[in-house]
Amino acid sequence: MTPAPIAVALDAPDLETAARWASLVTPHVSTVKVGLELYLRYGPDVIASVRGASGVRVFLDLKLHDIPNTVAGAARAVARLKPAILTVHAAGGPAMIRAAVEAAPATQIAAVTVLTSLSEADLERTGIAGPPGDAVRRLSVLAVAAGAGALVCSPREVAAVRAEVGPDITLITPGVRPVGADSQDQARVATPERAFADGADLLVIGRPITGSADPGAAAAGIAAALRRAAGTAGRSV
């Protein structure tokens, strides 16, 4: 059975736990995500540890955001680890996004639009007026024009972004929570089934899987629900 289009966020307290979670979920999901904290604590070794023998796709979520030359250097440095996906902030601008794309040609550069933890009130405090969806659409168009092959947006905006950028851009949605799960620090959330039906290609799910007593079983359950939803929506998983 093909693994479901889920990236499990390995926000683990140590390398051993991250590797164990990865081995448990890998039969059921396509991707594991390494975030900033884990990468800064353990460095490049974490990639090999979570990839393991399975060769699961690694999503390196570093959200690079700096001047173009610095981002190019950083992207080039991690490209040797062969991550499938590397994130940069779309707010860094076209030149910065393009620099990352050119520095890591074998890695899909995913531009993060608006963090799922931010509400409309939060954005207004930073000087960005209007609904988050407006900012997400603007940044999506900008990032795609600069060469980004993927976008990260909340599931609340994924349908509008899909309509804006077309079918060929990979849409990645964090803030995905199964029914009954705590939204925790996410402000703009949806269920896996809803996000997938609206056009998401890869769903980022962390604590609902890794915080369970059996992460493998939790991943399998969410993957099965996603396959059922995909069949109803006429999409393949």
Side-chain angles (χ1 to χ4, degrees), residues 4 10 32 36 42 44 66 78-79 85-86 96 106 112 130 162 181 185 188-189 200-201 215 231 236:
L10 302 176
V32 293
L36 189 61
Y42 296 104
D66 212 311
V78 298
I85 304 166
L86 172 67
M96 188 207 78
V112 178
R162 176 62 73 203
D185 57 356
R188 306 189 323 280
V189 302
D201 297 300
S236 60

Side-chain angles (χ1 to χ4, degrees), residues 83-118:
I85 304 166
L86 172 67
T87 51
V88 302
H89 268 293
M96 188 207 78
I97 296 167
R98 195 171 298 111
V101 171
E102 292 173 356
T107 295
Q108 187 173 56
I109 299 299
V112 178
T113 55
V114 175
L115 296 173
T116 52
S117 58
L118 296 175

Side-chain angles (χ1 to χ4, degrees), residues 119-140:
S119 66
E120 185 170 340
D122 294 327
L123 287 173
E124 188 172 355
R125 292 188 190 98
T126 69
I128 300 173
D134 290 352
V136 169
R137 287 195 299 275
R138 287 195 303 271
L139 289 166
S140 295

Side-chain angles (χ1 to χ4, degrees), residues 18-27 50:
R20 180 173 62 83
W21 286 348
S23 69
L24 291 171
V25 305
T26 293
V50 303

Side-chain angles (χ1 to χ4, degrees), residues 196-224:
F196 191 72
D198 283 346
D201 297 300
L202 184 64
L203 312 181
V204 179
I205 305 175
R207 287 163 285 192
I209 291 175
T210 59
S212 69
D214 186 342
I222 294 172

